[in-house]
């Protein structure tokens, strides 16, 4: 039979870690609407419904082509009643006046703005700058700055870009770096030294250093941990502009958010995977490991509950293999 809808649907997995999600999104009109909603719900403290919309958007991003007819959603996972309603509204020829009020009417929104403003207030001075996306060119310029500082402190250390830029994104809200130190213990001293160097170079606008609370003897064996215990810092760095684009302001730099993490060498692979994201990809990878494989994955380790052992991994490929998953490249993890 030649009719496309009669053909068995090539199954889309409900787990993001079993889908290849590149930046080539053929369903942007739907995913944008779903993500705006998810964001609003998140700010209102509705984490559950927000996640449901994020999952729906993420699934649509992995599709090889645009949805043409609503019936095509029938065999797709991760779509609840509300997500289908959004897709339906977006499908209509007239401009959808208010997709979000449609949903907001179902879900209460308490005032969360105050908490958000509090979080941002200490960065307020640079808020305008850091709310502007960081380009790949700016990320590369920052890599040189971070690398120079790291190598100056420890010539045997190396710096890799992680986060969205490792997944091939052209823009990010920050730039994430992971530092590899070949000697044990170095991971605990490198970040304070790098911060000190940025200070002396007069390019540090803000720093929040979180010292390592990692303890190899206390690796989790009952549930994975959402936050890792590695030495890390959240920085705001002055980045010189290539050209004076804002001559009126007379400011030849912009403020950029930078995250640095320095795990112990034997934890590097798990940390790299975790910090590469995307957040939703990692969330599903962990969920898949736990529910489908009886294994616990976090930024520190991969633990097999059946054998009560930690599974070693030299590369990210090793971790996917332990989980019985096809390897998904970083640029296919944009779930
Ligand atoms: N991450 C983490 N632990 C932290 C902070 C971040 O494991 N303490 C992970 C996040 O879960 C995410 C990745 O690091 O998977 C990158 O985080 P983030 O910079 O927030 O997102 P990006 O994917 O880089 O997106 P953007 O371009 O907006 O920065
Ligand atoms: Mn394509
Ligand atoms: Mn990032
Ligand atoms: Mn980050």
């Amino acid at each position: 039979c030649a009719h496309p809808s009669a053909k068995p649907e090539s199954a889309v997995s409900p787990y993001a870690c079993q889908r290849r999600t590149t930046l080539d999104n053929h369903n942007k009109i739907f995913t944008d609407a779903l993500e705006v909603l998810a964001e609003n719900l998140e700010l209102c403290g509705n984490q559950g419904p927000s996640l449901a919309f994020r999952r729906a958007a993420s699934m649509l991003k992995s599709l090889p082509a645009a949805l043409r007819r609503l019936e095509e959603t029938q065999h797709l996972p991760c779509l609840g009643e509300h997500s289908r309603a959004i897709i339906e509204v977006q499908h209509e020829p007239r401009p959808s006046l208010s997709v979000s009020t449609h949903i907001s009417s179902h879900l209460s929104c308490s005032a969360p703005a105050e908490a958000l403003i509090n979080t941002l207030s200490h960065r307020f001075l640079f808020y305008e700058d850091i709310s502007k996306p960081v380009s790949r060119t700016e990320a590369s310029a920052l890599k040189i700055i971070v690398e120079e500082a790291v190598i100056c402190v420890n010539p045997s250390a190396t710096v890799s870009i992680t986060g969205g830029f490792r997944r091939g994104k052209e823009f990010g809200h920050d730039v994430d770096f992971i530092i590899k130190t070949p000697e044990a213990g170095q991971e605990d001293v490198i970040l304070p030294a790098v911060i000190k160097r940025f200070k002396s170079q007069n390019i540090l606008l803000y720093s929040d250093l979180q010292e390592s609370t990692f303890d190899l003897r206390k690796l989790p064996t009952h549930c994975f941990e959402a936050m890792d215990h590695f030495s890390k810092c959240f920085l705001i760095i002055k980045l010189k502009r290539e050209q004076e684009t804002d001559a009126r302001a007379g400011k030849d730099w912009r403020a950029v958010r930078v995250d640095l993490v320095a795990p112990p060498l034997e934890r590097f692979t798990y940390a790299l995977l975790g910090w590469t994201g995307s957040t939703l990809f990692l969330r599903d990878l962990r969920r898949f490991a736990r529910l489908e494989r009886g294994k616990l994955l976090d930024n520190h380790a991969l633990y097999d509950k059946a054998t009560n052992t930690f599974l070693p991994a030299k590369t990210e490929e090793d971790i996917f293999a332990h989980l019985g998953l096809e390897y998904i490249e970083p640029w296919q993890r944009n779930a």
Side-chain angles (χ1 to χ4, degrees), residues 173-176 234 257-259 275:
H173 90 281
D174 68 357
V175 193
D176 307 282
F234 307 92
R257 275 271 301 109
V258 173
D259 284 342
W275 279 73

Side-chain angles (χ1 to χ4, degrees), residues 210-226:
Q210 298 185 5
E211 284 183 42
S212 169
T213 52
F214 177 73
D215 185 342
L216 193 55
R217 294 158 303 174
K218 289 186 199 149
L219 278 177
T221 54
H222 297 290
C223 64
F224 58 75
E225 295 190 67

Side-chain angles (χ1 to χ4, degrees), residues 207-262:
S207 76
D208 177 4
L209 173 69
Q210 298 185 5
E211 284 183 42
S212 169
T213 52
F214 177 73
D215 185 342
L216 193 55
R217 294 158 303 174
K218 289 186 199 149
L219 278 177
T221 54
H222 297 290
C223 64
F224 58 75
E225 295 190 67
M227 298 297 280
D228 66 51
H229 294 278
F230 303 132
S231 171
K232 54 178 149 307
C233 59
F234 307 92
L235 308 175
I236 300 177
I237 299 280
K238 259 187 202 178
L239 181 64
K240 268 238 179 304
R241 291 178 199 267
E242 280 299 301
Q243 286 159 323
E244 184 103 9
T245 47
D246 201 355
R248 283 164 308 159
K251 187 161 137 278
D252 65 348
W253 54 270
R254 68 161 290 188
V256 186
R257 275 271 301 109
V258 173
D259 284 342
L260 305 180
V261 62

